[in-house]
Coordinates of all heavy atoms in Angstrom, one line a residue:
M1 N 155.6 66.7 -73.4 CA 154.4 67.0 -74.2 C 154.8 67.9 -75.4 O 155.7 68.6 -75.4 CB 153.4 67.7 -73.2 CG 152.5 68.8 -73.8 SD 151.7 69.6 -72.5 CE 151.2 71.0 -73.4
R2 N 154.0 67.7 -76.4 CA 154.2 68.4 -77.7 C 152.9 69.1 -78.1 O 151.8 68.6 -77.8 CB 154.6 67.4 -78.8 CG 154.7 67.9 -80.2 CD 155.0 66.9 -81.2 NE 156.3 66.3 -80.9 CZ 156.8 65.2 -81.4 NH1 156.0 64.5 -82.1 NH2 158.0 64.8 -81.0
I3 N 153.1 70.3 -78.7 CA 151.9 71.0 -79.2 C 152.1 71.0 -80.7 O 153.1 71.5 -81.3 CB 151.8 72.4 -78.6 CG1 151.5 72.3 -77.1 CG2 150.7 73.2 -79.4 CD1 151.2 73.6 -76.4
I4 N 151.1 70.4 -81.4 CA 151.1 70.4 -82.9 C 150.5 71.6 -83.4 O 149.3 71.9 -83.0 CB 150.4 69.1 -83.4 CG1 151.1 67.9 -82.8 CG2 150.4 69.1 -84.9 CD1 150.4 66.6 -83.0
V5 N 151.2 72.4 -84.2 CA 150.7 73.7 -84.6 C 150.1 73.5 -86.0 O 150.7 73.1 -86.9 CB 151.9 74.7 -84.7 CG1 151.4 76.0 -85.3 CG2 152.4 74.9 -83.3
H6 N 148.8 73.9 -86.1 CA 148.1 73.8 -87.4 C 148.0 75.2 -87.9 O 147.0 75.9 -87.7 CB 146.7 73.2 -87.2 CG 146.7 71.8 -86.7 ND1 146.9 70.7 -87.5 CD2 146.5 71.3 -85.4 CE1 146.9 69.6 -86.7 NE2 146.7 69.9 -85.5
N7 N 149.0 75.6 -88.7 CA 149.1 77.0 -89.2 C 147.9 77.3 -90.1 O 147.5 78.5 -90.1 CB 150.4 77.2 -89.9 CG 151.5 77.3 -89.0 OD1 152.1 76.2 -88.6 ND2 151.8 78.5 -88.5
D8 N 147.3 76.3 -90.7 CA 146.2 76.6 -91.6 C 145.0 77.1 -90.9 O 144.1 77.7 -91.4 CB 145.9 75.4 -92.5 CG 145.7 74.1 -91.6 OD1 146.3 74.0 -90.6 OD2 144.8 73.3 -92.0
K9 N 144.9 76.8 -89.6 CA 143.7 77.2 -88.8 C 143.9 78.5 -88.1 O 143.0 79.1 -87.6 CB 143.4 76.1 -87.7 CG 142.9 74.8 -88.4 CD 142.6 73.8 -87.2 CE 142.1 72.5 -87.8 NZ 141.9 71.5 -86.7
C10 N 145.2 78.9 -87.9 CA 145.5 80.1 -87.1 C 144.9 81.3 -87.8 O 145.1 81.6 -89.0 CB 147.0 80.3 -87.0 SG 147.4 81.8 -86.1
Q11 N 144.2 82.1 -87.0 CA 143.5 83.4 -87.5 C 144.1 84.6 -86.9 O 143.6 85.7 -87.0 CB 142.0 83.3 -87.2 CG 141.3 82.2 -88.0 CD 141.3 82.4 -89.5 OE1 141.2 83.5 -90.0 NE2 141.6 81.3 -90.2
G12 N 145.2 84.4 -86.1 CA 145.9 85.6 -85.6 C 145.2 86.3 -84.4 O 145.4 87.5 -84.2
H13 N 144.5 85.5 -83.6 CA 143.9 86.1 -82.4 C 144.9 86.5 -81.3 O 144.6 87.3 -80.4 CB 142.9 85.2 -81.8 CG 141.8 84.8 -82.8 ND1 140.8 85.7 -83.2 CD2 141.5 83.7 -83.4 CE1 139.9 85.1 -84.0 NE2 140.3 83.9 -84.1
A14 N 146.0 85.8 -81.3 CA 147.1 86.0 -80.3 C 146.7 85.7 -78.9 O 147.3 86.1 -78.0 CB 147.6 87.5 -80.4
R15 N 145.7 84.9 -78.7 CA 145.3 84.5 -77.4 C 146.3 83.5 -76.8 O 146.6 83.6 -75.5 CB 143.9 83.8 -77.4 CG 142.9 84.8 -77.8 CD 141.5 84.3 -77.4 NE 140.5 85.1 -78.0 CZ 139.2 84.8 -78.1 NH1 138.8 83.7 -77.6 NH2 138.4 85.7 -78.7
C16 N 146.9 82.7 -77.6 CA 148.0 81.8 -77.1 C 149.1 82.7 -76.6 O 149.7 82.4 -75.5 CB 148.4 80.9 -78.2 SG 148.9 81.7 -79.7
W17 N 149.5 83.6 -77.4 CA 150.6 84.5 -77.0 C 150.3 85.3 -75.7 O 151.2 85.5 -74.9 CB 150.8 85.5 -78.2 CG 151.9 86.5 -78.0 CD1 153.2 86.4 -78.2 CD2 151.7 87.8 -77.5 NE1 153.9 87.6 -77.9 CE2 152.9 88.5 -77.4 CE3 150.5 88.5 -77.1 CZ2 153.1 89.8 -77.0 CZ3 150.7 89.8 -76.6 CH2 151.9 90.5 -76.6
A18 N 149.1 85.7 -75.5 CA 148.7 86.4 -74.3 C 149.0 85.5 -73.1 O 149.3 86.0 -72.0 CB 147.3 86.8 -74.4
Q19 N 148.8 84.2 -73.2 CA 149.1 83.3 -72.1 C 150.5 83.1 -71.9 O 151.0 83.0 -70.7 CB 148.4 82.0 -72.3 CG 146.9 82.0 -72.4 CD 146.2 82.2 -71.0 OE1 146.9 81.9 -70.0 NE2 145.0 82.7 -71.0
A20 N 151.3 82.9 -72.9 CA 152.7 82.5 -72.8 C 153.5 83.0 -74.0 O 153.7 82.2 -74.9 CB 152.8 81.0 -72.7
P21 N 153.9 84.3 -74.0 CA 154.6 84.8 -75.2 C 155.9 84.1 -75.5 O 156.4 84.2 -76.6 CB 154.8 86.3 -74.9 CG 154.6 86.4 -73.4 CD 153.7 85.3 -73.0
H22 N 156.6 83.5 -74.5 CA 157.8 82.9 -74.7 C 157.7 81.5 -75.3 O 158.6 80.9 -75.8 CB 158.6 82.8 -73.4 CG 158.0 82.0 -72.3 ND1 156.8 82.4 -71.7 CD2 158.3 80.8 -71.8 CE1 156.4 81.5 -70.8 NE2 157.3 80.6 -70.8
I23 N 156.4 80.9 -75.3 CA 156.2 79.6 -75.9 C 155.6 79.8 -77.2 O 156.0 79.1 -78.2 CB 155.2 78.8 -75.0 CG1 155.9 78.5 -73.6 CG2 154.8 77.5 -75.6 CD1 155.0 77.8 -72.6
F24 N 154.6 80.7 -77.3 CA 153.8 80.8 -78.6 C 154.3 82.1 -79.3 O 153.9 83.2 -79.0 CB 152.3 80.9 -78.3 CG 151.8 79.7 -77.6 CD1 151.5 79.7 -76.2 CD2 151.6 78.5 -78.3 CE1 151.1 78.6 -75.6 CE2 151.2 77.3 -77.6 CZ 150.9 77.4 -76.3
V25 N 155.2 81.9 -80.2 CA 155.9 83.1 -80.8 C 155.1 83.4 -82.1 O 154.8 82.5 -82.9 CB 157.3 82.8 -81.1 CG1 158.0 84.0 -81.8 CG2 158.1 82.4 -79.8
L26 N 154.7 84.6 -82.3 CA 153.9 85.1 -83.5 C 154.8 85.8 -84.5 O 155.8 86.4 -84.1 CB 152.8 86.0 -83.0 CG 151.9 85.4 -81.9 CD1 150.8 86.4 -81.6 CD2 151.4 84.0 -82.2
D27 N 154.3 85.9 -85.7 CA 155.0 86.7 -86.7 C 154.6 88.1 -86.6 O 153.8 88.5 -85.7 CB 154.9 86.1 -88.1 CG 153.4 86.1 -88.6 OD1 152.6 86.9 -88.0 OD2 153.1 85.4 -89.6
D28 N 155.0 88.9 -87.5 CA 154.7 90.4 -87.4 C 153.2 90.7 -87.6 O 152.8 91.7 -87.2 CB 155.5 91.1 -88.6 CG 157.0 91.2 -88.3 OD1 157.4 90.9 -87.1 OD2 157.8 91.5 -89.2
E29 N 152.5 89.7 -88.2 CA 151.1 90.0 -88.4 C 150.2 89.3 -87.3 O 149.0 89.2 -87.4 CB 150.7 89.5 -89.8 CG 151.4 90.4 -90.8 CD 151.0 90.0 -92.2 OE1 150.5 88.9 -92.5 OE2 151.3 90.9 -93.1
G30 N 150.9 88.6 -86.3 CA 150.1 88.0 -85.2 C 149.8 86.6 -85.5 O 149.0 86.0 -84.7
Y31 N 150.3 86.0 -86.5 CA 150.1 84.5 -86.7 C 151.2 83.7 -86.1 O 152.4 84.1 -86.1 CB 150.0 84.2 -88.2 CG 148.7 84.8 -88.8 CD1 148.7 86.1 -89.3 CD2 147.6 84.0 -89.0 CE1 147.6 86.7 -89.8 CE2 146.5 84.5 -89.6 CZ 146.5 85.9 -90.0 OH 145.3 86.4 -90.6
I32 N 150.8 82.6 -85.6 CA 151.9 81.7 -84.9 C 152.9 81.2 -85.9 O 152.5 80.9 -87.1 CB 151.2 80.6 -84.1 CG1 152.2 80.0 -83.2 CG2 150.6 79.5 -85.0 CD1 151.6 79.3 -82.0
L33 N 154.1 81.1 -85.5 CA 155.1 80.6 -86.4 C 155.0 79.1 -86.7 O 154.5 78.4 -85.8 CB 156.5 80.9 -85.8 CG 156.9 82.4 -85.6 CD1 158.4 82.4 -85.1 CD2 156.8 83.1 -87.0
P34 N 155.3 78.7 -87.9 CA 155.2 77.2 -88.1 C 156.2 76.4 -87.3 O 157.2 76.9 -86.9 CB 155.5 77.1 -89.6 CG 156.1 78.4 -90.0 CD 155.8 79.4 -89.0
G35 N 155.8 75.2 -87.1 CA 156.7 74.2 -86.4 C 156.1 73.8 -85.1 O 155.5 74.6 -84.3
N36 N 156.1 72.5 -84.8 CA 155.5 72.0 -83.6 C 156.4 72.4 -82.4 O 157.6 72.6 -82.6 CB 155.4 70.5 -83.7 CG 154.4 70.0 -84.8 OD1 153.6 70.8 -85.2 ND2 154.6 68.8 -85.3
L37 N 155.8 72.4 -81.2 CA 156.5 72.9 -80.0 C 156.7 71.7 -79.0 O 155.8 71.1 -78.7 CB 155.6 74.0 -79.4 CG 155.2 75.1 -80.3 CD1 154.2 76.0 -79.6 CD2 156.5 76.0 -80.7
E38 N 157.9 71.5 -78.6 CA 158.3 70.6 -77.6 C 158.2 71.4 -76.3 O 159.0 72.4 -76.1 CB 159.6 70.0 -77.8 CG 159.7 69.1 -79.1 CD 158.9 67.9 -79.0 OE1 158.5 67.4 -77.9 OE2 158.6 67.3 -80.0
I39 N 157.4 71.0 -75.3 CA 157.2 71.7 -74.1 C 157.9 71.0 -72.9 O 157.5 69.9 -72.6 CB 155.7 71.9 -73.8 CG1 155.0 72.4 -75.0 CG2 155.5 72.8 -72.6 CD1 155.4 73.8 -75.5
P40 N 158.8 71.7 -72.3 CA 159.4 71.0 -71.1 C 158.4 70.9 -70.0 O 157.4 71.6 -69.9 CB 160.5 72.0 -70.7 CG 160.5 73.2 -71.6 CD 159.4 73.0 -72.6
I41 N 158.7 69.9 -69.1 CA 157.7 69.6 -68.0 C 157.2 70.8 -67.3 O 156.0 71.0 -67.1 CB 158.4 68.6 -67.0 CG1 158.8 67.3 -67.7 CG2 157.4 68.4 -65.8 CD1 157.8 66.2 -67.7
G42 N 158.1 71.7 -66.9 CA 157.8 72.8 -66.0 C 156.9 73.8 -66.7 O 156.2 74.6 -66.1
E43 N 156.9 73.8 -68.1 CA 156.1 74.8 -68.8 C 154.7 74.2 -69.2 O 153.9 74.9 -69.8 CB 156.8 75.1 -70.1 CG 158.2 75.8 -69.9 CD 158.1 77.3 -69.7 OE1 157.1 77.8 -69.2 OE2 159.1 77.9 -70.1
Q44 N 154.5 73.0 -68.9 CA 153.3 72.3 -69.5 C 152.0 72.9 -69.0 O 151.1 73.1 -69.8 CB 153.4 70.8 -69.2 CG 154.4 70.2 -70.1 CD 154.5 68.7 -70.0 OE1 153.8 68.0 -69.3 NE2 155.5 68.1 -70.7
P45 N 151.8 73.3 -67.8 CA 150.5 73.9 -67.4 C 150.2 75.2 -68.2 O 149.1 75.4 -68.7 CB 150.7 74.2 -65.9 CG 151.7 73.2 -65.4 CD 152.7 73.0 -66.6
L46 N 151.2 76.0 -68.3 CA 151.1 77.3 -69.0 C 150.8 77.0 -70.5 O 149.9 77.6 -71.1 CB 152.3 78.1 -68.8 CG 152.3 79.5 -69.2 CD1 151.2 80.3 -68.5 CD2 153.6 80.2 -68.9
A47 N 151.6 76.0 -71.1 CA 151.4 75.7 -72.5 C 150.0 75.2 -72.8 O 149.4 75.5 -73.8 CB 152.5 74.7 -72.9
S48 N 149.5 74.3 -71.8 CA 148.2 73.8 -72.0 C 147.1 74.8 -72.0 O 146.2 74.8 -72.8 CB 147.9 72.8 -70.9 OG 148.7 71.7 -70.9
R49 N 147.3 75.8 -71.1 CA 146.3 76.9 -71.0 C 146.4 77.7 -72.3 O 145.3 78.1 -72.8 CB 146.7 77.8 -69.8 CG 145.5 78.4 -69.2 CD 145.9 79.3 -68.0 NE 146.7 78.5 -67.0 CZ 147.6 79.1 -66.2 NH1 147.9 80.4 -66.3 NH2 148.3 78.4 -65.4
G50 N 147.5 78.0 -72.8 CA 147.6 78.7 -74.0 C 147.0 78.0 -75.2 O 146.3 78.6 -76.0
A51 N 147.3 76.7 -75.3 CA 146.7 75.9 -76.4 C 145.2 75.9 -76.3 O 144.5 76.0 -77.3 CB 147.3 74.5 -76.4
R52 N 144.7 75.7 -75.1 CA 143.2 75.6 -75.0 C 142.6 76.9 -75.2 O 141.4 77.0 -75.5 CB 142.9 75.1 -73.6 CG 143.2 73.6 -73.4 CD 142.4 73.1 -72.2 NE 142.7 73.9 -71.0 CZ 143.6 73.6 -70.1 NH1 144.4 72.6 -70.2 NH2 143.7 74.4 -69.0
S53 N 143.3 78.0 -75.1 CA 142.7 79.4 -75.3 C 142.5 79.7 -76.8 O 141.9 80.7 -77.1 CB 143.6 80.4 -74.7 OG 144.8 80.7 -75.4
C54 N 143.1 78.9 -77.7 CA 143.0 79.2 -79.1 C 141.6 78.9 -79.6 O 141.1 77.7 -79.6 CB 144.0 78.4 -79.9 SG 143.8 78.6 -81.7
P55 N 140.8 79.9 -80.0 CA 139.4 79.6 -80.5 C 139.3 78.9 -81.8 O 138.3 78.4 -82.2 CB 138.9 81.0 -80.6 CG 140.0 81.9 -80.8 CD 141.2 81.3 -80.1
E56 N 140.4 78.8 -82.5 CA 140.4 78.1 -83.8 C 140.9 76.6 -83.7 O 141.0 76.0 -84.7 CB 141.3 78.9 -84.8 CG 141.0 80.3 -84.9 CD 139.6 80.6 -85.5 OE1 139.1 79.8 -86.2 OE2 139.1 81.7 -85.2
H57 N 141.2 76.2 -82.5 CA 141.8 74.8 -82.4 C 143.0 74.6 -83.2 O 143.2 73.5 -83.8 CB 140.7 73.8 -82.6 CG 139.5 74.0 -81.8 ND1 139.4 73.7 -80.4 CD2 138.2 74.4 -82.1 CE1 138.2 74.0 -79.9 NE2 137.5 74.5 -80.9
A58 N 143.8 75.6 -83.3 CA 145.0 75.5 -84.1 C 146.2 74.9 -83.3 O 147.2 74.5 -83.9 CB 145.5 76.9 -84.6
L59 N 146.0 74.7 -82.0 CA 147.1 74.2 -81.2 C 146.6 72.9 -80.5 O 145.8 72.9 -79.6 CB 147.4 75.2 -80.1 CG 147.8 76.6 -80.6 CD1 147.9 77.6 -79.5 CD2 149.1 76.5 -81.4
E60 N 147.2 71.8 -81.1 CA 146.7 70.4 -80.6 C 147.7 69.9 -79.6 O 148.9 69.8 -79.9 CB 146.6 69.5 -81.9 CG 146.2 68.1 -81.6 CD 146.3 67.2 -82.8 OE1 146.4 67.8 -83.9 OE2 146.3 66.0 -82.7
I61 N 147.2 69.6 -78.5 CA 148.1 69.0 -77.4 C 148.3 67.5 -77.7 O 147.3 66.8 -77.8 CB 147.5 69.3 -76.0 CG1 147.4 70.8 -75.8 CG2 148.3 68.6 -74.9 CD1 146.6 71.1 -74.5
A62 N 149.5 67.1 -77.7 CA 149.8 65.7 -78.0 C 150.8 65.2 -76.9 O 151.8 65.9 -76.6 CB 150.4 65.4 -79.3
P63 N 150.6 64.0 -76.3 CA 151.6 63.5 -75.4 C 152.9 63.2 -76.1 O 152.9 62.8 -77.3 CB 150.9 62.2 -74.8 CG 149.8 61.9 -75.8 CD 149.5 63.1 -76.6
T64 N 154.0 63.4 -75.4 CA 155.3 63.0 -76.0 C 155.3 61.5 -76.1 O 155.0 60.8 -75.1 CB 156.4 63.6 -75.1 OG1 156.2 65.0 -75.0 CG2 157.8 63.3 -75.7
P65 N 155.7 60.9 -77.2 CA 155.8 59.5 -77.3 C 156.8 58.9 -76.4 O 157.8 59.5 -76.2 CB 156.1 59.2 -78.8 CG 156.2 60.5 -79.5 CD 156.0 61.6 -78.4
A66 N 156.5 57.7 -75.9 CA 157.5 57.1 -75.0 C 158.8 56.7 -75.8 O 158.7 56.4 -77.0 CB 156.9 55.8 -74.4
P67 N 159.9 56.8 -75.2 CA 161.1 56.4 -75.9 C 161.1 55.0 -76.4 O 160.6 54.1 -75.7 CB 162.3 56.6 -74.9 CG 161.7 57.3 -73.7 CD 160.2 57.2 -73.8
A68 N 161.6 54.7 -77.6 CA 161.6 53.4 -78.1 C 162.5 52.5 -77.3 O 163.5 52.9 -76.8 CB 162.1 53.4 -79.6
G69 N 162.2 51.2 -77.2 CA 163.1 50.2 -76.6 C 162.5 49.9 -75.2 O 162.9 49.1 -74.5
Ligands
LIG101 S1 145.3 81.8 -80.4 FE1 145.2 80.4 -82.1 S2 144.5 81.6 -83.8 FE2 145.3 83.0 -82.2 S3 147.5 83.3 -82.8 FE3 147.3 81.6 -81.3 S4 147.2 79.8 -82.7 FE4 146.7 81.5 -83.9

């Protein structure tokens, strides 16, 4: 699973970080760092919870595309 980070929507609430600080890394001002997140299987429940906790909908959960071929 992948989390698409919409930095333009992030308002620095840090709710994602409160759920999983090792997944959702923030800058010095509390805004999430740019770059989409690849989530390993074992981290997916926690990552989903963190993404859903964002009140700005800045964290979009996307299924990992199936391998080509
Ligand atoms: S919860 Fe949302 S708005 Fe708050 S830091 Fe995380 S991504 Fe940004």
